[in-house]
Amino acid sequence: MIILDNVSKRYQTRGKGWFSAVEPLSLHIGAGEIFGLMGYSGAGKSTLLRLINLLERPDTGTVTVAGQDLTAMGAAQLRQARQNIGMVFQQFNLLANRTVADNAAFPLEIAGWPSEKIKTRVAECLEIVGLQDRANHYPVQLSGGQKQRVGIARALAPNPQVILADEPTSALDPATTRSVLECLEDINKRFNVTVVIVTHEMSVLRRLCDRAALLHQGRLVETVNIENGMIHAQSEIGRELVRED
Ligand SMILES: Nc1ncnc2c1ncn2[C@@H]1O[C@H](COP(=O)(O)OP(=O)(O)O)[C@@H](O)[C@H]1O
Ligand SMILES: [Mg+2]
């Protein structure tokens, strides 16, 4: 579903030349996987995630999602292709002056869906995330976990094959973390949506992921398998991360 081939990203820093956030790396993520990106703060996890939908354009390499090479596309084609890739953010990024339903409707409005279809699809998505009774509430009236489930409904609305989530539970307490992870898992199982999730929390990896890539200082150190809540890290840094948990 996702093929990263030799992708890399550098940033220009003030006075200190170029900083390499992601060294050239290749990664394949299968359809229907829940795939983690793990590593310490600053490792390049968010940058790598944003390379998948070209929010960051790679300096080298190609990004192929669902058989389409995003790096070869022009702006209009890329906008279209991004309909197939939902994104969920740590700080939810909801619009405060819009209701829950209107937040979830936002990407569909942008994509020019007719209003009747938007209504039906939004109702469906709010039901999937368990917020059908909150449709007319505003974000300020919701708990953190509910806000994130609105974020997930919004990501899901255009019916994407892929959802990218950047630390979706890092702003939440353990109980609401659970509800958000269950929601992502449910969407993965029911609709076979491929999920890529950035997290520094080993508990999230154990609970949710099939495999994860370990990043350290912009390098892909290893890809680890996760079975029955066991993270099978081989590298020194991987074992350290698991041990610290
Ligand atoms: N827009 C940017 N400009 C300059 N440096 C950046 C930018 N975005 C990220 N970085 C740097 O790249 C490195 C990796 O960042 P990031 O991908 O956010 O790491 P992580 O998500 O693993 O914490 C960090 O050192 C960060 O400071
Ligand atoms: Mg990050």
Side-chain angles (χ1 to χ4, degrees):
M1 181 57 62
I2 299 169
I3 302 172
L4 304 178
D5 185 20
N6 197 42
V7 295
S8 65
K9 184 71 193 179
R10 299 187 309 167
Y11 293 112
Q12 192 152 27
T13 59
R14 259 185 248 154
K16 291 183 195 146
W18 292 87
F19 175 83
S20 184
V22 174
E23 299 276 341
L25 64 81
S26 298
L27 195 60
H28 288 209
I29 300 173
E33 272 198 272
I34 303 185
F35 192 91
L37 300 179
M38 62 192 278
Y40 290 110
S41 177
K45 305 181 296 295
S46 295
T47 303
L48 186 60
L49 192 76
R50 294 158 60 85
L51 285 171
I52 296 174
N53 61 2
L54 250 60
L55 278 183
E56 302 283 358
R57 187 167 278 277
D59 297 320
T60 64
T62 57
V63 176
T64 306
V65 176
Q68 292 187 297
D69 179 357
L70 303 189
T71 38
M73 290 179 176
Q77 220 184 346
L78 185 58
R79 255 197 313 280
Q80 183 67 34
R82 281 205 186 111
Q83 297 280 308
N84 196 33
I85 312 173
M87 193 153 191
V88 177
F89 306 89
Q90 178 174 355
Q91 297 300 337
F92 325 124
N93 293 8
L94 301 181
L95 297 166
N97 60 345
R98 281 182 165 236
T99 63
V100 164
D102 288 346
N103 266 282
F106 193 64
L108 305 181
E109 289 173 16
I110 300 286
W113 284 40
S115 59
E116 275 311 302
K117 273 187 75 184
I118 292 180
K119 236 176 161 169
T120 313
R121 180 60 183 157
V122 164
E124 243 169 46
C125 289
L126 291 183
E127 173 136 27
I128 291 163
V129 302
L131 289 176
Q132 59 274 34
D133 56 340
R134 295 282 187 278
N136 298 316
H137 289 223
Y138 285 86
V140 69
Q141 299 172 291
L142 304 178
S143 71
Q146 289 172 332
K147 283 182 198 168
Q148 192 56 293
R149 283 186 281 138
V150 178
I152 293 170
R154 177 181 58 191
L156 185 65
N159 216 356
Q161 287 177 288
V162 175
I163 287 182
L164 309 177
D166 195 349
E167 305 266 10
T169 61
S170 298
L172 305 176
D173 61 49
T176 44
T177 288
R178 219 185 134 92
S179 78
V180 166
L181 296 182
E182 277 168 6
C183 184
L184 285 170
E185 191 167 34
D186 179 52
I187 286 166
N188 165 263
K189 292 243 154 63
R190 284 172 69 188
F191 310 109
N192 202 38
V193 174
T194 305
V195 177
V196 185
I197 178 171
V198 168
T199 184
H200 65 271
E201 296 171 294
M202 295 303 115
S203 58
V204 170
L205 293 169
R206 286 183 215 285
R207 168 86 178 68
L208 199 65
C209 296
D210 310 311
R211 292 195 304 144
L214 168 59
L215 296 179
H216 191 59
Q217 296 175 349
R219 292 195 171 82
L220 174 60
V221 177
E222 62 171 324
T223 305
V224 303
N225 290 317
I226 301 158
E227 286 166 322
N228 305 318
M230 290 279 288
I231 304 171
H232 297 291
Q234 307 289 323
S235 64
E236 190 57 44
I237 195 84
R239 297 212 304 267
E240 183 183 307
L241 262 166
V242 173
R243 213 166 36 235
E244 277 177 8
D245 178 47

